[in-house]
Amino acid sequence: MELLRDADIDPVPLARKRVAILGYGNQGRAQALNLHDSGIDVVVGLRGGSGSALDAESHGLSTALLEDAVSSADVVMMLAPDEIHAALYREIETNLREGAAIGFSHGLSVRFGYVEPRPDLDVFLVAPKGPGTALRSLYTEGKGMIAVWAVARDATGHAREIALAYGRAIGSGRAGLIASSFAEEAEADLFNEQAVVWGAVPELLIAGFETLVAGGVSPELAYLECVGELKLIADLIEARGIAGMREAISNTAELGALLGGRRIIDESVRKRMAEVLSEVRAGRFAEELRREETEGYPRLEEARRDNRETLLEETYRRLGKTSD
Ligand SMILES: NC(=O)c1ccc[n+]([C@@H]2O[C@H](COP(=O)([O-])OP(=O)(O)OC[C@H]3O[C@@H](n4cnc5c(N)ncnc54)[C@H](OP(=O)(O)O)[C@@H]3O)[C@@H](O)[C@H]2O)c1
């Protein structure tokens, strides 16, 4: 595996280029500000009447309508939500300069064919492995967030150097840029979202909380045990790895984890994980995402409403935290 850092990357390929960031949300804001602070000429492309223009301009960024931003740029980064990439690309395609580069922070749209960039365009991926808020705060602390990069098409012969210079300019070269492909990044990312950190872990916490409460434990204690300790283990794993985390906890906790962990995460879980991976690779989730957007996000809206009303969330609020 190739892992590159600042010293391995030439920043010059981006130095005289203009970058249009399309979308000023979680990733768009962070990447635009990091690029700007790295001395790159950035324009934020927004739809008419966007409420984001004020924030971008107050931070010294230029803003323009999508089509104007795109036609003025050498590099265009697609940082609107994945499910609208197909429509957004159709809207901007004729404004893209001949021989420009188009970039993504998720492999999904290209891997599953929702965007098929024009043959003259370089197509690259720089996908920071974490949320935009952290990408920005790490950058301002002089650190960086590890990112995956790839080239799907090298039309000009410069796609690789542009991708790497882009990754460096958002600060990821300080932590490391890992070579991958659109397919590998998209599939691994969607798998993790469903089967590991974002899908399975919260459900495990909820199941643990509900089991303790059903067994007569107070919701407050159940919350502190099953949910409140997550940050502690995450910090330990980040600092010492999983083996180091296990060595750092008490013998009681370590033996409990040894006996209990594999009882819960058994072969049946691995089998279902493999099913999720196959479904992701077959494009089933990408299709679901597209359907959800077309229908106006009914499942997401309903889940967001329901999630707020649970005993676990009430307990979270009672313990003096807020969920906003
Ligand atoms: N979220 C993350 O932490 C994360 C991490 C790694 C990679 N990524 C990837 O980064 C990309 C962006 O994700 P995100 O979570 O940052 O998106 P997001 O926060 O949901 O993006 C919101 C931005 O997209 C704009 N937008 C929404 N619909 C639009 C439309 N129809 N036309 C034009 N602009 C539109 C919004 O415009 P207004 O300002 O007008 O509302 C807003 O500026 C995705 O490919 C995602 O997979 C995200």
Side-chain angles (χ1 to χ4, degrees):
M1 186 206 71
E2 185 190 35
L3 188 141
L4 300 171
R5 293 213 164 82
D6 277 359
D8 311 308
I9 300 167
D10 182 2
V12 170
L14 216 53
R16 286 175 298 278
K17 294 200 171 356
R18 173 168 250 224
V19 177
I21 298 289
L22 305 190
Y24 192 73
N26 197 318
Q27 281 295 318
R29 182 177 191 277
Q31 293 191 25
L33 292 171
N34 290 5
L35 289 164
H36 179 69
D37 290 351
S38 294
I40 306 296
D41 179 15
V42 180
V43 58
V44 177
L46 296 167
R47 51 189 169 179
S50 169
S52 303
L54 213 59
D55 181 273
E57 286 161 13
S58 74
H59 286 86
L61 295 167
S62 307
T63 63
L65 288 174
L66 292 164
E67 58 271 26
D68 297 329
V70 168
S71 60
S72 73
D74 309 287
V75 177
V76 173
M77 198 67 184
M78 298 278 277
L79 294 178
D82 296 299
E83 65 274 18
I84 64 113
H85 280 189
L88 178 60
Y89 180 76
R90 279 197 300 277
E91 195 180 330
I92 61 161
E93 188 176 42
T94 53
N95 298 98
L96 283 156
R97 285 181 178 178
E98 179 81 17
I102 184 164
F104 298 81
S105 281
H106 197 317
L108 187 150
S109 307
V110 172
R111 159 66 178 86
F112 295 104
Y114 295 152
V115 175
E116 292 180 11
R118 256 179 15 213
D120 59 289
L121 302 172
D122 287 340
V123 184
F124 73 93
L125 173 81
V126 173
K129 288 290 118 189
T133 41
L135 181 75
R136 179 63 183 155
S137 59
L138 284 167
Y139 182 94
T140 56
E141 289 161 23
K143 301 181 205 153
M145 177 180 282
I146 204 155
V148 167
W149 74 279
V151 167
R153 187 190 305 121
D154 187 5
T156 66
H158 300 295
R160 175 190 158 96
E161 60 199 51
I162 288 172
L164 288 172
Y166 186 96
R168 189 185 199 273
I170 62 167
S172 293
R174 297 169 180 172
L177 281 152
I178 298 173
S180 183
S181 67
F182 274 69
E184 186 183 54
E185 192 279 337
E187 291 164 9
D189 197 68
L190 296 177
F191 170 79
N192 171 45
E193 282 163 3
Q194 289 169 52
V196 192
V197 172
W198 305 98
V201 170
E203 286 302 330
L204 189 68
L205 306 186
I206 293 165
F209 171 85
E210 289 177 353
T211 303
L212 279 185
V213 172
V217 174
S218 76
E220 286 77 7
L221 185 55
Y223 187 95
L224 292 172
E225 289 291 350
C226 296
V227 187
E229 293 192 1
L230 186 66
K231 185 169 182 335
L232 307 179
I233 192 172
D235 288 345
L236 276 171
I237 292 173
E238 173 77 13
R240 309 169 64 123
I242 289 178
M245 172 277 290
R246 286 182 171 149
E247 286 163 19
I249 60 183
S250 69
N251 287 345
T252 313
E254 192 178 1
L255 183 64
L258 180 66
L259 300 180
R262 288 180 193 166
R263 184 165 172 201
I264 302 298
I265 306 299
D266 61 6
E267 276 311 309
S268 72
V269 173
R270 287 184 162 74
K271 187 165 165 284
R272 289 195 297 283
M273 283 183 162
E275 286 166 10
V276 168
L277 183 57
S278 300
E279 288 170 16
V280 161
R281 286 183 164 151
R284 269 197 237 155
F285 175 76
E287 221 15 80
E288 290 289 339
L289 182 64
R290 205 218 285 264
R291 185 157 71 88
E292 186 70 8
E293 190 272 332
T294 309
E295 293 173 0
Y297 302 98
R299 285 175 292 183
L300 287 181
E301 298 284 351
E302 188 185 352
R304 284 171 191 155
R305 270 196 311 273
D306 292 350
N307 289 343
R308 295 252 165 179
E309 305 309 322
T310 62
L311 177 61
L312 189 149
E313 290 305 315
E314 272 173 38
T315 309
Y316 169 76
R317 292 190 284 268
R318 255 203 316 278
L319 284 168
K321 302 167 190 261
T322 70
S323 56
D324 294 312

